[in-house]
Amino acid sequence: MDAIVLLKDDHNTVERLFKDFEKAGDRAHKTKRDIADEVIEELTVHTWIEEKIFYPAARAAVPQTKDHVLESVEEHHVVLWMLSELTGLDPKDERFDAKMTVLMENVRHHVEEEEQEWFPQVRSAMGRNRLVELGEELAAAKSTAPRDPLKVPSAHE
């Protein structure tokens, strides 16, 4: 699997979780907590592999993506802090659903920019073989990536 396909698969997984959260009823506190916990893990691992492996490779292959990468890292920063706040927040707290809604809006915006604006540039610059190699690196790194949002470097930058 190439790197961009892997990252898009992650995006799709998170979007499915978001839709499940949106469909859960107002009183589905346990379900919402379980979904939020999955979202926290998925997005934490995803941001870590992007920042450690994909973004540096993308910048090297397509130097003009520098601004997109820097903006993406800043978007990660906001998302990671929201994830860390959701980690300890009781799903019955009146801010829980609001925080998840803002998180979903931020992530959806981020995904749209990546997939529409600069993944195509990276794909054409890197070529299939390099993307497959990079995809293998990303897949392997998932098992050792942190699960705590505040362990991702951009959370503190």
Side-chain angles (χ1 to χ4, degrees), residues 3 7 11 43 46-63 65-77 80 110-111 113-115 118-119 122 126 130 134 137-138 152 154 157:
L7 295 174
H11 293 167
L43 287 175
H46 180 81
T47 57
W48 193 84
I49 65 171
E50 277 189 332
E51 290 179 21
K52 289 292 192 178
I53 299 166
F54 185 73
Y55 289 174
R59 277 183 76 169
V62 190
T65 64
K66 175 185 170 199
D67 290 341
H68 286 294
V69 171
L70 292 173
E71 183 180 325
S72 290
V73 170
E74 291 306 316
E75 289 170 347
H76 284 183
H77 174 80
L80 291 163
H110 175 79
V111 165
E113 283 187 342
E114 278 188 345
E115 291 187 1
W118 63 281
F119 278 5
V122 173
M126 283 192 179
R130 176 64 179 123
L134 200 56
E137 283 181 60
L138 293 171
V152 179
S154 68
E157 294 174 357

Side-chain angles (χ1 to χ4, degrees), residues 25-123:
D26 289 339
R27 298 173 157 239
H29 302 298
K30 179 170 179 359
T31 299
K32 287 182 173 182
R33 174 78 266 163
D34 292 344
I35 293 168
D37 288 342
E38 282 186 71
V39 166
I40 291 164
E41 181 168 344
E42 289 289 335
L43 287 175
T44 300
V45 169
H46 180 81
T47 57
W48 193 84
I49 65 171
E50 277 189 332
E51 290 179 21
K52 289 292 192 178
I53 299 166
F54 185 73
Y55 289 174
R59 277 183 76 169
V62 190
Q64 62 268 34
T65 64
K66 175 185 170 199
D67 290 341
H68 286 294
V69 171
L70 292 173
E71 183 180 325
S72 290
V73 170
E74 291 306 316
E75 289 170 347
H76 284 183
H77 174 80
V78 171
V79 165
L80 291 163
W81 276 94
M82 293 186 79
L83 294 174
S84 74
E85 291 170 359
L86 278 164
T87 299
L89 192 59
D90 186 327
K92 293 178 183 173
D93 187 296
E94 67 180 0
R95 297 171 306 138
F96 189 83
D97 285 3
K99 198 170 290 287
M100 275 296 290
T101 298
V102 172
L103 172 74
M104 291 185 284
E105 290 168 355
N106 276 275
V107 170
R108 285 171 170 153
H109 167 78
H110 175 79
V111 165
E112 182 180 342
E113 283 187 342
E114 278 188 345
E115 291 187 1
Q116 302 301 317
E117 294 179 22
W118 63 281
F119 278 5
Q121 291 177 298
V122 173
R123 176 171 297 291

